[in-house]
Every structure is written in structure tokens, then in C-alpha cells.
Amino acid sequence: MKILVGYKRVVDYNVRIQVKPDGTGVVTDGVKLSANPFDDIALEEALRLREKGIATEVVVVGIGPADLTAHLRNGLAMGANRAIHVVTSEAVQPLTAARTFLKLVEKEQPGLVLMGKQAIDDDANQTGQMLAALWDRPQATFASKLEIADGKATVTREVDAGLEVIEAELPAVVTTDLRLNEPRFIKLPDIMKAKSKPIDTIEFASLGVEAHDHLTTTRYAAPAKRSKGVMVKDAAELVAALKQKGLL
Amino acid sequence: MSKILVIAEHLHGKLNPATARAVSAAAAIKPEAIDVLVLADSVDAIAGEAAKIEGVSRVLTVARAENAHPLAAVLAPQIAKAANGYSHVLAPSTTFGKDLAPRVAALLGVAQVSDVMTVEGAHTFTRPIYAGNAIVTVQADASHTVVATIRTASWGAAASGANNAPIETLTVDTTLPSHTRFVELQQGSSDRPDLQSASKVVSGGRGVGSKENFDIIYKFADRIGAAVGASRAAVDAGYCPNEMQVGQTGKIIAPELYMAIGISGAIQHLTGIKDAGTIVAINKDGEAPIFEVADIGLVGDLFKIIPELEQALS
């Protein structure tokens, strides 16, 4: 079985984002970029499935500008067999990303597509679900446990009410939650090895994906700031302050 | 004019309060009608509750055995059919809505607006990005159905009781897939208030130290009638179950009182509590980032302070 892994590059999760004063976007020049943390978890899970002999090939997929290649090399260094780079300089919204993935799915015929549950930049939480809908295959979102046997995936999902277990016939789309696994670190020799692994480059325009995005962002704003709080010196003072506010 | 379809969320035959919050957002669009769609195996009790929510015009029900559990692959094609004639399809931004709505949007061939915070116009909304560190105004194409999830922490629940909307059976003619099957739901048993709708929440973090120590948090929460939450660190360390996690990737809540105990306040955690009325931080590290957002801060050892709090309350 082949596994496709969505591997997005985002502003590193430790960076405190600044909105541009003119409201046209957020400052990304010179800001550290990293793999979306949920995508690292997706890749790790794919590698573990290969190590168990369930998967035969793990392919990382990125959609983005020419310099995304360096990011895909990280995925190869972590252990993916090869990478697909769909090249576009345009920002790609989830529906377009899902349509792009569908084209790759039709060509590659994977048994499983693993994606992060959300990207920490747009926080959309949509692409996996949209791909599953367009592909007309099962989806298992927010996975914290994944078992594959007899042509089906048994997935434990982190839902508001607790943990839900579902069964999905393969091929399927699974999106990863934080507790699925702990991604491995990349070792130096693997970075060297990754240099000789193949990256297929595909021009976005050649895929024939309808890229008409229906959402237009008209303004970026900084969130409302909370007013400065007060410090109290002990428990009695805290209780008094909360009682005064009518909260206790 | 707008006509809105709100997807009802429910569990064990009861309507989830998040549904009434989505109705509030729907009302802000000032539509001609707000219909609530109930997909379940047994719909009567749920539909009855939905009909009482103020602002609801009609409750539409689809009772099928396949709808016993909220499987997106099964529900989405029915909703996509039912969406015909509606300008908007809304669902709460809970794990239910997040799982389902993008599948519906893709079937309709439209983009989706996630986590609507405010309604600026029938097709213009604000939503958070970068863990709530930026708020964007987005415009959806007016020639398409808008599919959106509603950030429940940004909207109060529409009042319930006075309304008596008609309940109608909807026939949705579509074949449903059998490739996805429900196995089980494992739930922590708790008679504490629901984390997402509670007016008071007490949360513990890594500073609590162990699963056993977490009892002190539960006890204090019970003392003041609060729900209990946790930081990611506390969940990862196994101190408490995942459904208690508050933050960017857990639950986003807006209680009147939020007490963060032994929580340092990582960006991802603060995202989950930004809209709380009053934030109280108790931490032994006076430099912890949680104090930057706290309305009331107290530096000290939680194992000393909590008993003192209980004493001050009695």
C-alpha cells in the first residue's frame, strides 16, 4: 500500500505573529518556517506503518512556491521515499488543495491519505474532509489511534464527548490529532541521504484544477487586547476580588 | 434574502447547546428564515427541543437508522441535498461541525468559512487565524451557498422556551455509503457542568504534577460549581482525559470565570480562553505568560493556595 502524506510548510508554532499595521496581512518576511506540527505527526504515522510492513511507500506532498523543495527534503530526511511538489506561487485555500490532492490520488492510487487535522496558520481544518468528499471515500478526522488490517482502518477519534472509534474501508483519508504519536527527529546522515531521493515537480496549472477560490480576505486585524490585570497577594484577597465581581 | 439551514448537533437523544449558539449567529445574518435540520435515528425529542429555540422558523427531520451516529460520510450527502434553496448552511464549530461541514461544502463545490466570530454582512464574516493572533475579515461569493462553522465561544445561546416552530419530516432521496461504520464512543463519566457551556471553569496544567494531584482541581471545581479543563501538557502527561483539553486544538471556551492553575499560558492555550470574562491565574512562576492575560493573578504554590481558597470560601 502506498500512503500520501500532506506536508504543509507554515510559520513555526513558537513565533508570535504580528499583523501588518495597514491590515493587508501578517508579517512573514524573515520569520521561521517549519512543517505544520500535525503534518509531522501524519508523516510519522505513515513511516510507522511502513516499518510494520503495512505500507510499502510513503510519499510527501507539498503545494507551494519553488523554495518549498527544501521543506520537502525535510520530509524525505525524516524517512519518506519520495516527494511530490505541486508548484504555485499563489496562496492555496483548502478547497483548491483538496482538488489538487484528488488529481494526485487519481494518478498515484494510494491506499491511504494522511493529513494533519488543521494547519496552524489558517486554522481551517477542512482539507482532509474535502478530499474525502470529492474522492467519495471514508474520512476519519482527529485520529489519536490508527490500526490497519483486512482492508480497513480502525480509528480512534478525539471528539468533544470523548473518544469515538470508527471503522473505515480503505482507501480512506485520516487526519491526525496531537496524541497520535511523537514524531521522530531528523538525523544528520538522513539529511545527506535525502538529497538523492526523488522530488517530482508538477506545475499547478498543468493539473487542470479549478483554482477559483470563493473566499476573499479583505482585512487582517490584531485581536482585541485584554486590559492589564491586577495581582493579589493571597487567597483571601483573591476570593474577596471574585466575590466583588459577583463570580463566587 | 437569506434562508439559513442550521445543522443540529445532538448526543443520546438530547440537543447539544452549541446548536442554539449557531442559531444566534444565523439570526445575526438577519435572514428570512432559520430552519434547523435534525438527522438522527429517533428525532422527536431532539426536534422538540430545537423547535423551542427563539428565531427558529421550522425544524426539519430526517429519521433513518443510518443517522444513529454522527458519521460525516453518511450525513454530508443528505445535508448537501437538503441545502437546496438555502443561502447558508451553518454548523457549530465543535468536533461534530468541523468533521461534517467541510464534507458538505466540498459536495456543494464551495469554500467553507471556519470559526465565524462575527457577522459583518450576509456574506462577510470575521474569523481567527494563527491561533487567534490575527482576525481576518473574509468575504464569501454571494452567488454560492455559504457553508460555515460557528465559533461557539463567540456567540451566546439563543433563548429557549417561548418559540414553538413547526416540525416537518424531510425526505432526502440519496443513497448512503456504508464504507464508514461507527464502532463505539468511550466517554468519561462526569456529572460536572459541561466544559463548553459552563459559566465557570477551573483548569489545571503541568504544575499539578500528577493524575492523583488532579483531585485537588476536581474538588475545588466542585466546591464552586465549575467545569474542569486542562492544558495540553496535563493531558499529554496523562493527568486527565483528552476531552478536557482547552486551547487551539482542544476546546475553545468563553466562561464568565476561568481559573488557570499551574498553567504557564502557551499561545496555543491562550487561544482557547481569550474570550473568557475574567481570567484568574495561580502560578508559582511570576514570569509565566499566563499573567499577561490574567485579570487577577496570584503568585504562589497551588498546593498551598487551593486549601486556603477553600478556607476563605467557607
Side-chain angles (χ1 to χ4, degrees):
Chain A
M1 177 174 80
K2 186 191 290 184
I3 302 179
L4 290 192
V5 178
Y7 198 60
K8 188 176 179 179
R9 183 179 64 174
V10 297
V11 171
D12 188 83
Y13 71 98
N14 277 317
V15 172
R16 217 171 252 241
I17 273 294
Q18 299 292 328
V19 176
K20 290 180 187 165
D22 63 0
T24 57
V26 297
V27 179
T28 49
D29 289 345
V31 165
K32 187 186 175 197
L33 302 174
S34 303
N36 181 41
F38 293 99
D39 297 356
D40 264 342
I41 293 170
L43 176 53
E44 174 65 34
E45 197 66 16
L47 297 174
R48 290 185 189 189
L49 288 169
R50 194 185 61 197
E51 282 154 12
K52 281 185 205 156
I54 292 167
T56 48
E57 190 183 27
V58 174
V59 184
V60 283
V61 177
I63 308 172
D67 72 348
L68 194 71
T69 311
H71 166 68
L72 292 169
R73 290 269 176 230
N74 285 337
L76 295 173
M78 205 166 137
N81 299 79
R82 63 187 171 94
I84 299 175
H85 179 184
V86 179
V87 186
T88 171
S89 54
E90 303 286 315
V92 171
Q93 290 186 17
L95 183 59
T96 305
R99 286 173 172 159
T100 306
F101 264 90
L102 183 67
K103 295 284 182 191
L104 302 179
V105 158
E106 284 164 355
K107 184 163 164 265
E108 298 280 343
Q109 300 286 322
L112 183 67
V113 176
L114 276 166
M115 289 184 171
K117 76 164 176 180
Q118 75 195 64
I120 59 163
D121 51 2
D122 65 13
D123 280 334
N125 197 331
Q126 299 174 8
T127 307
Q129 295 90 313
M130 287 180 158
L131 170 63
L134 300 174
W135 190 13
D136 199 15
R137 293 304 307 165
Q139 71 188 46
T141 52
F142 325 137
S144 63
K145 195 174 171 200
L146 170 62
E147 279 166 9
I148 291 186
D150 309 324
K152 63 174 199 262
T154 304
V155 185
T156 304
R157 306 179 53 231
E158 297 209 354
V159 297
D160 290 336
L163 296 171
E164 185 193 64
V165 183
I166 64 170
E167 243 176 44
E169 285 171 16
L170 299 179
V173 179
V174 174
T175 75
T176 60
D177 216 316
L178 282 171
R179 272 170 283 279
L180 183 61
N181 60 47
E182 186 100 23
R184 67 196 63 186
F185 289 105
I186 296 170
K187 295 188 207 78
L188 190 61
D190 297 329
I191 296 174
M192 301 311 289
K193 248 186 270 171
K195 288 185 177 160
S196 56
K197 289 184 181 178
I199 299 181
D200 299 336
T201 305
I202 302 172
E203 283 301 322
F204 176 76
S206 73
L207 286 171
V209 171
E210 191 201 332
H212 176 65
D213 283 323
H214 304 308
L215 290 185
T216 314
T217 301
T218 55
R219 185 167 181 268
Y220 290 75
K225 276 216 163 58
R226 295 184 73 98
S227 51
K228 185 93 185 94
V230 295
M231 299 299 284
V232 292
K233 65 175 195 315
D234 59 25
E237 214 179 287
L238 174 57
V239 168
L242 291 176
K243 278 192 170 154
Q244 200 193 355
K245 286 185 167 223
L247 291 166
L248 283 179
Chain B
M1 269 304 270
S2 309
K3 262 186 88 181
I4 301 181
L5 189 66
V6 175
I7 311 305
E9 176 173 359
H10 54 85
L11 183 66
H12 304 321
K14 281 204 179 89
L15 190 69
N16 185 306
T19 311
R21 293 173 186 258
V23 170
S24 291
I29 296 169
K30 300 191 173 60
E32 187 184 332
I34 302 172
D35 293 350
V36 175
L37 177 61
V38 177
L39 302 146
D41 52 346
S42 166
V43 295
D44 292 352
I46 304 158
E49 279 185 78
K52 288 188 193 141
I53 299 172
E54 206 161 291
V56 172
S57 318
R58 287 188 305 166
V59 177
L60 308 174
T61 63
V62 182
R64 291 176 77 148
E66 295 94 324
N67 293 343
H69 303 288
L71 295 169
V74 173
L75 302 182
Q78 302 175 67
I79 297 166
K81 281 253 172 169
N84 189 20
Y86 288 93
S87 58
H88 298 68
V89 177
L90 307 183
S93 187
T94 53
T95 52
F96 165 78
K98 288 175 181 174
D99 184 40
L100 179 60
R103 191 152 184 136
V104 174
L107 292 178
L108 296 173
V110 302
Q112 187 207 275
V113 186
S114 295
D115 300 316
V116 169
M117 293 174 79
T118 65
V119 170
E120 307 290 312
H123 296 88
T124 311
F125 312 94
T126 65
R127 61 171 303 260
I129 59 170
Y130 288 104
N133 287 301
I135 311 297
V136 286
T137 306
V138 294
Q139 227 163 350
D141 189 331
S143 64
H144 297 280
T145 304
V146 175
V147 177
T149 59
I150 304 304
R151 185 175 182 270
T152 51
S154 300
W155 299 88
S160 175
N163 197 15
N164 188 14
I167 298 170
E168 297 169 20
T169 305
L170 185 70
T171 310
V172 184
D173 177 27
T174 178
T175 44
L176 300 179
S178 58
H179 53 47
T180 312
R181 295 175 288 271
F182 173 85
V183 179
E184 62 169 335
L185 177 65
Q186 302 158 1
Q187 269 184 295
S189 59
S190 167
D191 42 17
R192 292 195 178 86
D194 172 58
L195 182 55
Q196 266 163 318
S197 49
S199 62
K200 296 175 203 168
V201 173
V202 175
S203 274
R206 201 199 303 269
V208 178
S210 72
K211 193 177 177 184
E212 293 68 38
N213 286 354
F214 227 81
D215 277 346
I216 193 172
I217 303 287
Y218 292 121
K219 239 180 74 198
F220 177 64
D222 291 346
R223 178 74 176 74
I224 64 167
V228 183
S231 69
R232 179 188 167 191
V235 176
D236 280 351
Y239 302 172
C240 44
N242 69 288
E243 65 263 27
M244 281 168 53
Q245 185 177 326
V246 172
Q248 181 184 17
T249 65
K251 287 179 176 143
I252 295 175
I253 57 174
E256 286 165 37
L257 173 63
Y258 184 76
M259 298 184 71
I261 302 177
I263 292 176
S264 64
I267 303 172
Q268 292 79 9
H269 184 74
L270 301 182
T271 304
I273 59 166
K274 276 197 173 124
D275 294 322
T278 297
I279 298 175
V280 173
I282 298 172
N283 205 299
K284 65 180 176 195
D285 175 11
E287 302 296 311
I290 189 78
F291 288 114
E292 288 168 31
V293 300
D295 299 284
I296 308 175
L298 175 51
V299 178
D301 180 1
L302 69 97
F303 298 105
K304 194 168 148 273
I305 290 170
I306 294 179
E308 286 172 3
L309 283 173
E310 284 175 353
Q311 206 177 5
L313 281 167
S314 57

